[in-house]
């Protein structure tokens, strides 16, 4: 009798689909998010300062209020549905295939720009030590003032991150965890030392009263500041690779919301009490290093340390962009929104290798396009960024409300606060406020972002064309959804996540519902 050969531990079973591995811990989950949002102050500070002037803290506060609502919504959704896909998955499940695809393509726009933007920002902080590279520019035909050296550095970093993500999420997560910890200490030190030795409140008040921007500039600044807040989406993208997600995700998400908000509000208030807003607006490639250099006694050292940390922390933000784009397309292809070509998992490293390579390539093209625009390369990338984020967040709020009605039986380890009961369903009041806030923000983006209002919808239309072609070629419904057994899928999700208490609750809720339905039919 032939014995059955068992695969070695950690290796996939022959003949079965290779799945993503749950290797992300509590600290890893937190730093996936912190890598994105914690890093954004290094990029957004100079850009927001240039648009909001003395009202920069108010712009960060306005964006932060919307961010808190988004954070609460994503915490509920990611802990209830711990799978790769984030906003795309929630919209797919709550609103149907076409809306899931639109949300997914909007997020793909952001993730690829995230890779390009933060790789460029990382190179910008490296160039703090090389002023010659910082000042370099050349004219190429119709393109003026191109910094080819900065562009080459950015492309090199994108390649580095691509290789890292092919190797595995454990390596990527470890990279984030180490740098995230050092960065929090560094950011905290700059804030404490700055407030102790250099901050003057009367300077903040003066700039706020006398350097207030126009209404259009202010709203533009708010829409730029909102780009700081895609970290929670990153946590949800890593949910399928997070251990005990229903327990870990609420803790890490709530902690992240308030830690990031504290840093995001502290830096503009500190900055306006130490330097003029123009100083940081002119240093949009390395604003935190410029701020740290202005602190008395320690500035000569703090500026250099901030530049090193800035280069690394924004690089891990770019790293989360690679991870987010690859996991998102993995999810989209699994649900027949994109070709299954994208969900191929590397047999050894068990990472979505084709998605990693393809979207790193897209990010590289976006970086090249932006650098061709000349000295305002980063501004060009930001211009396209806000459209995708606000559209995806708006659709996610609508999906949150829809899922409360369509799928009330799935256990929710965390619920958004303030709910009202309508016809037996708990409607989230803050979720409704969030939907109104994000659709308003989307309107602001279309109003104030000249490039974004063209490139954003253009990107969505392009991917919709790919979607319709793929669905038509494979005989799938074009506008309707593919029939799915979501209850069976939810049981599989909770089983895979080893959330057995929630699984038991779910099965009991379904049994109770079936019992009531049977009783109603036999009456």
């Amino acid at each position: 009798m032939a014995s059955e050969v068992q695969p070695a531990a950690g290796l996939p079973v022959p003949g079965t689909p290779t799945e993503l591995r749950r290797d992300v811990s509590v600290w890893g989950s937190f730093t996936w998010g912190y890598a994105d949002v914690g890093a954004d102050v290094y990029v957004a500070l100079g850009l927001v300062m240039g648009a909001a002037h003395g009202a920069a803290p108010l712009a960060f506060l306005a964006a932060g209020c919307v961010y808190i609502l988004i954070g609460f919504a994503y915490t509920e959704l990611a802990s209830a549905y711990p799978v790769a896909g984030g906003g795309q998955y929630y919209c797919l499940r709550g609103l149907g295939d076409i809306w899931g695809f639109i949300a997914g393509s909007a997020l793909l726009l952001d993730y690829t720009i995230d890779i390009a933007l933060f790789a460029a920002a990382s190179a910008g902080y490296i160039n703090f030590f090389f002023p010659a590279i910082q000042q370099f520019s050349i004219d190429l035909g119709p393109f003026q003032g191109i910094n080819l050296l900065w562009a080459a550095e950015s492309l090199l970093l994108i390649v580095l991150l691509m290789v890292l993500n092919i190797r595995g999420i454990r390596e990527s997560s470890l990279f984030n965890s180490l740098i995230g910890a050092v960065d929090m200490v560094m950011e905290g030190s700059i804030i404490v030392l700055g407030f102790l030795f250099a901050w003057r409140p009367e300077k903040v008040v003066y700039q706020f009263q006398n350097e207030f921007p126009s209404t259009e500039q202010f709203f533009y600044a708010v829409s730029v500041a909102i780009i700081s807040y895609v970290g929670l989406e990153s946590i949800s993208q890593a949910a399928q690779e997070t251990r005990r997600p229903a327990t870990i995700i609420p803790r890490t998400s709530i902690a992240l919301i308030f830690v990031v908000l504290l840093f995001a509000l502290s830096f503009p208030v500190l900055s306006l009490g130490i330097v003029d807003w123009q100083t940081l607006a002119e240093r949009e490639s390395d604003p935190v290093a410029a701020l740290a250099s202005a602190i008395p006694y320690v500035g000569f050292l703090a500026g250099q340390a901030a530049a090193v940390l800035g280069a690394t922390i924004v690089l891990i933000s770019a790293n989360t962009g690679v991870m987010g784009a690859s996991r998102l397309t993995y999810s989209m292809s699994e649900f027949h929104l994109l070709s299954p070509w994208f969900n191929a998992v590397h047999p050894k490293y068990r990472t979505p290798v084709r998605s990693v390579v393809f979207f790193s390539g897209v990010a590289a093209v976006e970086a090249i396009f932006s650098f061709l625009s000349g000295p305002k390369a980063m501004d060009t990338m930001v211009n396209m960024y806000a459209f995708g984020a606000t559209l995806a967040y708006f659709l996610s709020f609508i999906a949150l409300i829809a899922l409360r009605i369509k799928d009330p039986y799935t256990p929710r380890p965390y619920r958004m606060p303030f709910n009202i009961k309508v016809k037996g369903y708990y409607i989230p009041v803050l979720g409704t406020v969030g939907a109104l806030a994000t659709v308003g923000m989307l309107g602001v983006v279309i109003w104030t972002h000249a490039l974004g209002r063209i490139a954003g919808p253009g990107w969505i239309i392009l991917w919709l064309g790919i979607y319709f072609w793929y669905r038509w070629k494979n005989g799938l419904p074009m506008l309707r959804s593919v029939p799915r057994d979501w209850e069976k899928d939810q049981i599989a999700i909770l089983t895979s996540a080893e959330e057995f208490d929630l699984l038991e609750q779910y099965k009991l809720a379904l049994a109770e519902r079936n019992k009531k339905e049977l009783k109603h039919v036999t009456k």
Side-chain angles (χ1 to χ4, degrees):
M1 183 175 164
S3 62
E4 194 173 327
V5 178
Q6 298 295 324
L11 293 178
V13 178
T16 61
T18 309
E19 296 181 347
L20 302 176
R21 180 163 47 196
R22 292 190 181 274
D23 261 345
V24 180
S25 63
V26 177
W27 182 244
S29 176
F30 178 83
T31 48
W32 268 118
Y34 184 78
D36 244 342
V37 286
D40 285 318
V41 71
Y42 284 88
V43 178
L45 187 61
L47 295 167
V48 174
M49 210 55 93
H53 306 171
L58 197 57
F60 274 103
L61 178 62
C65 291
V66 179
Y67 156 68
I68 291 173
L69 297 176
I70 296 167
F72 286 160
Y74 266 78
T75 303
E76 175 174 330
L77 291 166
S79 56
Y81 307 103
V83 295
Q88 168 267 325
Y89 179 83
Y90 314 138
C91 293
L92 171 77
R93 192 154 170 170
L95 305 176
D97 286 14
I98 187 77
W99 292 108
F101 181 82
I102 291 173
S105 57
L107 289 169
L108 277 178
L109 173 64
D110 272 15
Y111 278 124
T112 53
I113 294 176
D114 181 274
I115 300 166
L117 174 64
F118 286 91
S122 179
Y125 275 97
I126 292 170
N127 293 340
F128 176 85
F129 301 100
F130 305 102
I133 297 178
Q134 213 170 32
Q135 302 300 324
F136 180 84
S137 71
I138 190 170
D139 297 338
L140 288 176
F143 306 108
Q144 309 293 312
I146 304 167
N147 193 330
L148 279 181
L149 298 178
W150 188 9
E153 289 175 300
S154 305
L155 294 176
L156 190 62
L157 291 175
I158 290 172
V159 172
L160 171 70
L161 294 177
M162 182 184 73
V163 173
L164 186 67
N165 276 270
I166 290 173
R167 287 282 301 174
I169 195 167
R170 178 184 289 172
E171 288 74 10
S172 295
S173 189
L174 178 63
F175 180 61
N176 282 11
S177 301
L178 293 173
I179 299 300
V182 177
D183 181 73
M184 275 187 277
V185 173
M186 183 68 204
E187 286 191 3
S189 301
I190 291 174
I191 290 169
V192 170
L193 293 173
F195 276 114
L196 279 178
F197 298 122
W199 190 65
R200 288 180 293 154
E202 65 275 13
K203 190 173 179 66
V204 180
V205 174
Y206 177 83
Q207 295 199 72
F208 184 82
Q209 291 178 334
N210 297 283
E211 303 286 348
F212 209 90
S214 68
T215 303
E216 183 174 352
Q217 280 180 298
F218 177 75
F219 279 111
Y220 176 81
V222 173
S223 66
V224 170
I226 199 70
I227 71 169
S228 305
Y229 305 125
V230 292
L232 293 163
E233 174 69 31
S234 299
I235 288 180
S236 65
Q237 294 295 344
Q240 193 165 330
E241 292 156 273
T242 302
R243 300 173 198 147
R244 299 300 307 272
T247 306
I248 287 178
I249 289 174
R251 293 178 187 172
T252 53
S253 295
I254 299 298
L256 184 69
I257 289 169
F258 292 103
V259 168
V260 167
L261 195 64
L262 181 66
F263 281 126
L265 294 180
S266 298
F267 269 99
V269 173
L270 176 67
S271 302
L272 291 179
I274 297 178
V275 297
D276 296 334
W277 67 264
Q278 295 92 337
T279 302
L280 297 188
E282 291 167 1
R283 295 286 294 274
E284 67 176 32
S285 63
D286 57 356
V288 175
L291 171 65
S293 299
I295 299 175
Y297 312 118
V298 296
F300 71 96
L301 185 61
Q304 298 194 18
V308 172
L309 262 296
T312 48
I313 190 70
V314 295
L315 187 60
I316 61 174
S317 186
N319 190 37
T320 60
V322 179
M323 187 280 288
S326 59
R327 271 54 179 180
L328 179 57
T329 48
Y330 175 87
S331 171
M332 291 172 78
S333 58
E334 281 214 316
F335 287 102
H336 306 293
L337 305 182
L338 279 178
S339 165
W341 184 85
F342 285 104
N343 73 357
V345 173
H346 194 284
K348 180 179 178 183
Y349 302 122
R350 299 175 67 181
T351 52
V353 59
R354 289 177 185 163
S355 294
V356 169
V357 173
F358 182 86
F359 288 99
S360 297
V362 172
V365 171
E366 290 171 346
I368 292 169
F369 169 77
S370 300
F371 275 101
L372 288 177
S373 67
K376 290 290 183 182
M378 290 182 65
D379 199 52
T380 301
M381 289 185 246
V382 167
N383 230 296
M384 296 187 290
Y385 196 101
F387 178 86
T390 49
L391 176 59
Y393 289 152
F394 166 66
L395 291 176
S396 295
F397 274 117
I398 301 297
L400 171 79
I401 298 167
L403 285 167
R404 285 282 190 95
I405 297 169
K406 294 172 68 174
D407 184 25
Y409 305 106
T410 290
R412 288 165 171 78
Y414 172 84
R415 279 181 186 267
M416 286 192 81
F418 304 112
N419 301 282
I420 55 172
K421 196 171 183 179
V422 179
K423 295 183 177 179
Y425 301 108
Y426 289 93
I427 305 300
V429 175
L430 292 183
T432 308
V433 173
L436 294 173
T438 47
V439 76
M441 194 73 77
L442 181 61
V444 168
V445 170
I446 293 171
W447 170 35
T448 59
H449 292 248
L451 181 58
R453 76 172 71 110
I454 298 170
W459 171 277
I460 301 294
I461 292 169
L462 172 67
W463 279 95
L464 271 174
I466 295 171
Y467 171 81
F468 286 129
W469 176 80
Y470 166 70
R471 302 276 283 206
W472 169 78
K473 188 179 176 186
N474 290 278
L476 298 168
M478 306 279 275
L479 296 175
R480 291 179 292 106
S481 300
V482 173
R484 298 184 181 90
D485 187 342
W486 288 122
E487 292 178 0
K488 185 179 175 183
D489 284 0
Q490 188 65 20
I491 289 172
I493 290 167
L494 293 175
T495 304
S496 168
E498 300 181 356
E499 294 290 356
F500 299 117
D501 290 342
L502 296 180
L503 178 62
E504 193 63 25
Q505 287 179 37
Y506 186 57
K507 288 181 175 177
L508 286 172
L510 293 181
E512 188 65 25
R513 180 207 58 186
N514 294 340
K515 190 176 170 184
K516 285 181 181 176
E517 287 180 353
L518 182 63
K519 190 175 178 181
H520 180 73
V521 169
T522 54
K523 270 185 179 178

